């Protein structure tokens, strides 16, 4: 069964939109009768088998903002220690302009993702259920949304922030290389 989850969005003056569609080891808000946590290994191998669209509110009928297929396309997806990060240049279309304006105004503040689960575990602690997602089998979309399930996720209009994030990744990988020596 296809499922949807949400995250937070930020903004600036660029057409480059970035965010985290999902964050590992971070519980959702209450999804009714349960909360959910995604393990860091849940996305292993999933990008290689997924055709992922960037959408507004998971609504493909409104149009597609970007696409990732077989590692190619206008949508870039990255799995890092935090979670699943995405980025794309908003198209010069009515939908692209609407998303940018919505982010700038603070109307759109979150991200989300649609997925299917291959493996999960459930626990019950004093009547509260927690679902641990161990393996996602397929990812369908990353979406800018009005109402998220995961408060820890984000979306941003990026400019200078993109350079700073690259520098942070360079520092991280530099430290990792020195630890491996």
């Amino acid at each position: 069964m296809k499922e949807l989850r949400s995250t937070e969005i930020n903004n600036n003056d660029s057409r480059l939109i970035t965010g985290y569609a999902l964050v590992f080891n971070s519980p959702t808000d209450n999804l009714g009768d349960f909360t959910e946590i995604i393990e860091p290994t849940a996305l292993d191998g999933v990008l290689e088998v997924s055709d992922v669209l960037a959408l507004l509110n998971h609504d493909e009928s409104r149009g597609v903002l970007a696409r990732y297929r077989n590692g190619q396309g206008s949508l870039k997806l990255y799995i890092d220690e935090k979670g699943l990060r995405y980025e794309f240049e908003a198209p010069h279309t009515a939908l692209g302009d609407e998303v940018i304006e919505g982010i700038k105004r603070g109307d759109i503040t979150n991200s989300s993702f649609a997925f299917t689960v291959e493996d999960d575990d459930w626990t019950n602690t004093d009547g509260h259920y927690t679902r641990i997602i161990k393996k996602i089998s397929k990812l369908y979309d990353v979406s800018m949304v009005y109402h998220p399930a995961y408060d820890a996720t984000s979306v941003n209009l990026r400019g200078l922030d993109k350079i700073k994030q690259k520098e942070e990744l360079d520092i991280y990988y530099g430290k990792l290389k020195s630890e491996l020596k």
Side-chain angles (χ1 to χ4, degrees):
M1 173 199 289
K2 185 176 178 178
E3 300 184 40
L4 309 174
R5 298 293 180 271
S6 305
T7 61
E8 181 182 331
I9 298 173
N10 299 305
N11 69 37
N12 70 19
D13 292 329
S14 172
R15 289 191 79 81
L16 182 65
I17 296 175
T18 67
Y20 276 89
L22 69 89
V23 177
F24 300 130
N25 295 321
S26 177
T28 58
D29 287 342
N30 191 326
L31 298 173
D33 294 336
F34 70 99
T35 56
E36 183 175 82
I37 298 171
I38 300 174
E39 290 188 343
T41 56
L43 289 176
D44 289 354
V46 76
L47 295 182
E48 294 80 3
V49 298
S50 296
D51 183 358
V52 184
L53 303 176
L55 303 172
L56 177 61
N57 285 320
H58 303 287
D59 188 356
E60 191 175 340
S61 70
R62 298 276 321 270
V64 174
L65 294 161
R67 185 177 190 179
Y68 173 98
R69 186 164 63 178
N70 300 321
Q72 302 295 313
S74 53
L75 175 62
K76 306 297 180 209
L77 297 174
Y78 309 95
I79 299 171
D80 62 22
E81 69 282 351
K82 181 176 179 178
L84 176 66
R85 187 171 64 86
Y86 66 90
E87 73 177 43
F88 65 92
E89 289 284 336
H92 292 276
T93 63
L95 181 60
D97 294 343
E98 177 183 345
V99 168
I100 286 175
E101 185 65 18
I103 293 171
K104 285 181 180 179
R105 289 171 32 134
D107 298 335
I108 301 171
T109 58
N110 300 92
S111 293
S112 180
F113 62 104
F115 63 105
T116 52
V117 172
E118 183 175 317
D119 187 20
D120 59 1
D121 283 334
W122 289 84
T123 61
N124 180 350
T125 307
D126 299 325
H128 178 78
Y129 292 92
T130 301
R131 180 187 194 193
I132 307 294
I133 296 179
K134 300 169 75 72
K135 177 71 177 138
I136 292 173
S137 59
K138 192 169 182 184
L139 188 63
Y140 298 95
D141 74 61
V142 294
S143 289
M144 282 51 41
V145 297
Y146 298 99
H147 303 288
Y150 284 91
D151 283 333
T153 60
S154 64
V155 68
N156 304 284
L157 288 172
R158 306 288 281 217
L160 178 60
D161 290 341
K162 182 179 178 185
I163 294 167
K164 288 180 181 178
Q165 188 167 31
K166 182 187 179 312
E167 289 172 350
E168 288 173 7
L169 286 173
D170 289 345
I171 291 168
Y172 171 78
Y173 287 116
K175 287 179 183 176
L176 185 62
K177 285 180 185 178
S178 66
E179 289 175 5
L180 294 174
K181 289 182 182 178

